[in-house]
Amino acid sequence: MHDIRLIRDNPEAFDQALKRRFYPLPETGQAWSALILDLDAKVRDAVGRKQEAETVRNQSSKLIGKAKATGDEAEAQRLMAAVADAKSTIETAGAAEEQAQSERDAILASLPNLPYEDVPLGEGEEENVEVRRWGAAQNYAFDPKSHDQIGENLDTVNAGPQMDFEAAVAMSGARFVALKGPLAKLERALAAFMLDLQTEEHGYTEVSPPLLVQDRALFGTGQLPKFGEELFQTTAGHYLIPTAEVSLTNLVRETILDESALPVRMTGHTPCFRSEAGSAGRDTKGMIRLHQFNKVELVSITKPEDSDAELERMTGCAEAVLQKLELPYRVMKLSSGDMGAGARRTYDLEVWLPSQNTYREISSCSTCGDFQARRMDAKFRRKGEKKPEFVHTLNGSGLAVGRTLVAVVENYQNEDGSVTVPAVLRPYLGGMDRIESQA
């Protein structure tokens, strides 16, 4: 949500920021600020007319009794007619205010956040800027296989492949998988390891949040109203969360926090559900792009002046997972056109996948400024101050568990089809150091 006062004060800067996002103009062809301010003027005009009419009504109502008491029936009738006209004006002006405000706020709610000036200018991922790399890709003495090839060739005892796409598709359709045996344990171990790292070393508070939310929660974090097609909705009107960002961030909705309570840092491990609308033909094989996947999410709530440093810290917390797993990766600063709608600045972590001979996204860490806070009415009050301010919100993956499993399976694969377990995960797997067929 955007601050209408900032648009009133500097409409050109608002339009320029949307232009940097390559956001299209409205159908009318005019600038977004002009459309918004035209509706805003109608709101303010209607409010003014309503207030003037309320003043006339109140003053005239007080004088009617006096006119009748003095026997001035003509004056009493004139005053009653003025009250009736004022009531009519209040009703029509009120309706005009409601209509114009509804249209204005609908536009404000639909527009993306404004990128910071240091965000690279570009329409897509081609303009993303590499910030740094960590680790080196391994040289294999054999042709590395993809994770789905490896997983489907790893057998269980009388339960089929450890990575079973065929059975999952038979019951649920495309973009689902069933993990079994050691690979299922590996997924659980990865999530436990990530949660322990973020809570014990990085100071995040673990939260087990709702997986079903109402539309106001998704509006608060920006998924609604514009991205409804990407969500799964129940017959009862709830939505399945596309990310724990929704649940975790909404824990501070409609609250006023004490300055001393900030920053708030939360993490949670949840299933996530996405329709993957618009991704037809992309990553149709394997576990890269599923309708249901597990993720450990990081969310921070900060004071405005602390959010930039918090983004760097959060990104480092996500990187720590990859470093401890000894997985090569790079950090990318996303271009203005490639960021999510709610972000002002975003870093993507991309892990190396040998089978694709390239880096693939495994985490995205973003600062949203007060964009989500305005939609959720989430504020804090500084010590000694009466007026509260909007908090800043940040979110990031720490990490996507399924994609991390993919990266581990591919980077730790052996020529015989087995997978070496990273040292840091072995305590979570009862000392197991290798995943192999059980048959």
Side-chain angles (χ1 to χ4, degrees), residues 41-318:
K42 292 179 180 178
V43 172
R44 300 169 84 179
D45 176 69
V47 169
R49 288 188 288 115
K50 186 171 70 173
Q51 290 175 340
E52 289 177 7
E54 288 171 344
T55 300
V56 171
R57 179 196 61 187
N58 295 339
Q59 291 176 345
S60 298
S61 296
K62 292 177 182 179
L63 296 173
I64 289 173
K66 293 181 180 179
K68 288 186 174 182
T70 60
D72 191 346
E73 189 61 30
E75 178 64 7
Q77 291 295 323
R78 187 191 70 78
L79 290 169
M80 284 190 286
V83 169
D85 287 343
K87 287 182 178 179
S88 177
T89 299
I90 291 169
E91 290 179 2
T92 57
E97 176 194 359
E98 184 178 348
Q99 177 65 27
Q101 183 169 312
S102 176
E103 293 179 19
R104 182 198 68 184
D105 290 351
I107 294 173
L108 290 174
S110 69
L111 295 175
N113 207 346
L114 307 181
Y116 283 126
E117 288 296 325
D118 65 340
V119 170
L121 182 64
E123 293 190 62
E125 61 183 25
E126 294 79 11
E127 290 80 25
N128 295 344
V129 174
E130 183 174 322
V131 178
R132 57 184 171 271
R133 292 190 183 197
W134 187 93
Q138 181 177 337
N139 291 319
Y140 297 90
F142 57 94
D143 291 332
K145 294 182 173 64
S146 65
H147 65 280
D148 51 300
Q149 291 174 312
I150 298 168
E152 289 179 316
N153 288 328
L154 289 170
D155 293 324
T156 60
V157 178
N158 302 322
Q162 294 185 31
M163 189 178 291
D164 197 334
F165 295 97
E166 185 177 345
V169 169
M171 74 174 88
S172 302
R175 298 189 188 276
F176 287 93
V177 68
L179 297 177
K180 307 171 188 175
L183 280 186
K185 288 184 178 181
L186 177 62
E187 182 184 46
R188 177 157 50 94
L190 282 166
F193 159 67
M194 293 176 192
L195 285 174
D196 287 348
L197 176 63
Q198 303 304 349
T199 56
E200 296 173 8
E201 295 190 24
H202 299 153
Y204 287 86
T205 298
E206 184 174 352
V207 179
S208 179
L211 305 182
L212 292 170
V213 296
Q214 296 178 326
D215 55 2
R216 63 173 176 264
L218 289 154
F219 176 85
T221 46
Q223 282 81 9
L224 288 178
K226 195 163 186 179
F227 303 103
E229 66 176 6
E230 299 178 9
L231 305 170
F232 287 109
Q233 187 174 12
T234 73
T235 54
H238 288 89
Y239 290 84
L240 293 166
I241 60 169
T243 165
E245 169 201 344
V246 176
S247 301
L248 296 178
T249 310
N250 271 277
L251 288 173
V252 299
R253 69 175 296 113
E254 298 173 7
T255 61
I256 300 177
L257 302 169
D258 289 334
E259 180 181 16
S260 60
L262 300 176
V264 175
R265 297 183 177 119
M266 297 174 283
T267 184
H269 168 230
T270 68
C272 304
F273 306 89
R274 297 183 185 177
S275 70
E276 292 296 342
S279 65
R282 296 176 59 195
D283 299 311
T284 54
K285 292 188 62 179
M287 290 180 58
I288 294 294
R289 197 177 300 275
L290 299 175
H291 289 311
Q292 175 187 320
F293 58 96
N294 292 310
K295 182 156 66 80
V296 171
E297 186 73 0
L298 307 174
V299 163
S300 294
I301 313 297
T302 74
K303 293 185 291 186
E305 62 268 28
D306 295 336
S307 60
D308 284 351
E310 186 68 15
L311 177 60
E312 303 299 325
R313 181 187 189 278
M314 177 180 284
T315 305
C317 291

Side-chain angles (χ1 to χ4, degrees), residues 373-435:
R374 289 181 178 277
R375 300 167 79 98
M376 296 186 302
D377 195 24
K379 298 178 179 178
F380 78 102
R381 183 179 285 111
R382 297 183 189 273
K383 185 177 180 180
E385 297 291 333
K386 291 183 178 180
K387 186 177 180 181
E389 303 172 38
F390 288 107
V391 298
H392 277 198
T393 62
L394 303 94
N395 63 81
S397 305
L399 304 166
V401 180
R403 291 195 178 189
T404 308
L405 183 143
V406 166
V408 168
V409 167
E410 291 205 5
N411 282 276
Y412 282 86
Q413 64 178 290
N414 300 304
E415 190 170 8
D416 63 2
S418 65
V419 177
T420 300
V421 176
V424 74
L425 296 179
R426 293 174 190 175
Y428 294 90
L429 291 166
M432 182 191 303
D433 60 5
R434 185 180 293 261
I435 292 174

